[in-house]
Amino acid sequence: MIKLPRPLINELLMQAQRNAGEEICGLIGAREGEASTVYPVPNGLHDPQRFVMDEAGQIAAFKAMREAGETLFAIYHSHPGAAAYPSATDLAESAYPDAYYLIISLNTKGVLEMRGFRLRGEGVEELEVGLSSY
């Protein structure tokens, strides 16, 4: 199970809603294994069907995470017009096998959906997303 604090979940869902015209993306840092901070990274493609994290934004996010004493917990992005499930591109471009991957879908008739995964090579393992007590 991927446990996330409610304020963090709310922040991710609001980002996806505010930017419904393109995929949002970013990183989530953790302290002592608990998700703690959202680091939004601009989508360098500004595309509703694909994302590539802006290189400078990604470097800045990892630097801020390191300076805060955090480790990479998850990578997130949205699918404005598709299901919250990894695409073939998501699988091919996944580069952090130890991180969780969170996908937020806006394609559920007004209801946002967020699902969590481990992506390893061609393998997709879905994990339940729940609230942490933090």
Side-chain angles (χ1 to χ4, degrees), residues 70-101:
E70 296 175 322
T71 57
L72 178 62
F73 182 81
I75 298 164
Y76 70 90
H77 74 281
S78 65
H79 284 177
Y85 194 82
S87 67
T89 302
D90 294 337
L91 284 171
E93 296 179 353
S94 64
Y96 295 90
D98 294 329
Y100 296 117
Y101 286 79

Side-chain angles (χ1 to χ4, degrees), residues 31-65:
R31 286 190 187 94
E32 299 178 16
E34 298 285 330
S36 54
T37 309
V38 174
Y39 295 93
V41 176
N43 179 351
L45 298 179
H46 304 286
D47 191 306
Q49 297 180 355
R50 188 154 181 260
F51 81 97
V52 171
M53 287 191 197
D54 172 79
E55 188 175 322
Q58 187 175 5
I59 290 168
F62 273 117
K63 181 179 181 202
M65 199 181 302

